[in-house]
Amino acid sequence: MKALVRGAVLIAATAAILIIINAQLAKSGAQSGGNTLTVYNWGEYIDPDLIKQFEKETGINVIYETFDSNEGMMGKIEQGGTSYDITVPSEYMVEMMREKDLLIPLDYDKIPNIKNIDPYFMDLPFDPNNTYSIPYFWGTLGIAYNPTLLEGQTFESWDNLWDPSLKQQVVTVDSAREVLGMSLNSLGYSLNSTNVDELREATDKLKTLSPNIKAVIGDEVTQMMMNNEAAVSLIWSGQAADMMSENEDITYVVPEEGSNLWFDNIVIPKTVKNIDGAYEFINFMLRPEVAAQNADYVGYSTPNKKALSLLDPEVVSDDRYYPDEKAREHLEVYKDLGLEMLGTYNELFLEFKMNMK
């Protein structure tokens, strides 16, 4: 009997030890994420070959998921159903995620390649000292147009979009901040305006643009322009670059009243499981040769100063993609206007779209 008791005690003790060991291993796995890194990014916003290269170099398997809006991305991070290790919010969304305590502060001792980023793009108001974010790509909002489909119209001013000859010729992205911001800029107001009277004036002016609007759509804008199905579009610089690479008749301009200077940024959300892998990925993406390859594939402007010498000189010297600091003085970065004001923008944008029917 004593032997049976001793045996039972030994089994119980062994089981307890195994439980503790398994718990420690599980905890370690949760902290490191094992051999997997989950990246949550915009669609077509990284060269797939770079993911393969990173996997080969590190042995880390990358799970790559995409989103199509900042708000959708943040909502999924808040829900916490998926443990994302890396995501790429725009500037105002970094502010919102920071305020909601959804991000972890970055440890720059683990990101030595931060030295390659142009200081101009660091320490911006939406993230002082880059406590939570590192610039990934940047660009502008402007007008892409095809002169061969027009009658000599140019677009030095936003008001040129209201030219009566452009009836059913203009397509625009389906985004409240961009479209309302464009109208605000055309009136000489800030695209971050929270003044109700200014927003009403901008919305009413947008309604008078309705006869010229062919469509308010998403990524299809690019294809329509490349296929000559539309002559003019309100679009981001990177998508304009895609258009121009496929259709040499298309050009791009930022109107003189000013526009949006935007930044997309790499952050580590609090859902992170593989924090070491996240830092490896960030540091990898900041290598000059990697950043150059990525910029060449994606078509947007890189903030990686050392990567510029590895890119096509014609692209880097083209102020449509890389406006100099003087040109940037007329550009504004989006601010976090708060959920209530963002709701107002969305309601007014919906009012504009309903007016077109």
Side-chain angles (χ1 to χ4, degrees), residues 139-140 235-243 252 262 298-301 321:
T140 57
I235 199 67
W236 296 283
S237 53
Q239 281 185 265
D242 289 341
M243 296 174 191
Y252 174 79
W262 57 261
V298 175
Y300 284 100
S301 304
Y321 309 120

Side-chain angles (χ1 to χ4, degrees), residues 1-2 9 22 25 46 49 69 91 120 146 168 171 189 195 211 220 225 245 250 256 264 334 354:
M1 178 65 73
K2 288 181 179 179
V9 171
N22 286 334
L25 288 172
I46 192 171
D49 287 342
S69 75
E91 64 294 308
Y120 177 89
N146 188 334
Q168 287 289 296
V171 291
Y189 301 139
N195 183 299
E220 302 91 337
M225 289 292 293
S245 68
I250 296 172
E256 59 192 9
D264 287 333
Y334 286 135
M354 293 295 291

Side-chain angles (χ1 to χ4, degrees), residues 6 29 38 58 64 95 98 135 167 175 195-196 201 215 282 298:
R6 283 198 301 272
T38 305
T58 64
Y64 190 81
E95 273 191 282
R98 184 187 69 201
K167 186 174 182 180
S175 177
N195 183 299
V196 176
E201 187 179 352
I282 292 172
V298 175

Side-chain angles (χ1 to χ4, degrees), residues 268-319:
I268 301 178
K270 282 200 168 180
T271 56
V272 63
K273 288 292 181 69
N274 190 350
I275 193 164
D276 291 335
Y279 280 119
E280 281 193 76
F281 184 81
I282 292 172
N283 205 48
F284 170 81
M285 294 304 298
L286 295 185
R287 289 186 201 167
E289 69 278 9
V290 169
Q293 180 177 330
N294 203 31
D296 189 55
Y297 176 87
V298 175
Y300 284 100
S301 304
T302 178
N304 193 307
K305 194 170 185 178
K306 290 193 175 181
L308 297 180
S309 63
L310 304 176
L311 291 168
D312 184 343
E314 287 189 15
V315 173
V316 175
S317 62
D318 191 331
D319 60 10

Side-chain angles (χ1 to χ4, degrees), residues 85-158:
D85 300 303
I86 292 283
T87 192
V88 187
S90 300
E91 64 294 308
Y92 74 94
M93 186 53 63
V94 172
E95 273 191 282
M96 293 182 70
M97 296 180 78
R98 184 187 69 201
E99 291 169 1
K100 288 176 173 284
D101 196 27
L102 297 176
L103 305 175
I104 68 165
L106 298 174
D107 181 354
Y108 281 98
D109 288 338
K110 297 180 179 179
I111 316 173
N113 285 334
I114 190 66
K115 64 187 179 185
N116 299 324
I117 298 294
D118 188 335
Y120 177 89
F121 300 107
M122 300 290 286
D123 194 26
L124 295 172
F126 64 87
D127 185 19
N129 300 313
N130 290 90
T131 303
Y132 298 95
S133 68
I134 292 173
Y136 180 62
F137 279 120
W138 67 279
T140 57
L141 179 77
I143 298 171
Y145 65 101
N146 188 334
T148 66
L149 301 179
L150 300 171
E151 299 175 1
Q153 295 95 332
T154 57
F155 297 91
E156 289 84 7
S157 169
W158 288 115

Side-chain angles (χ1 to χ4, degrees), residues 73-91:
M73 175 274 297
M74 186 180 72
K76 203 164 182 184
I77 296 288
E78 281 187 295
Q79 291 169 9
T82 303
S83 299
Y84 295 110
D85 300 303
I86 292 283
T87 192
V88 187
S90 300
E91 64 294 308

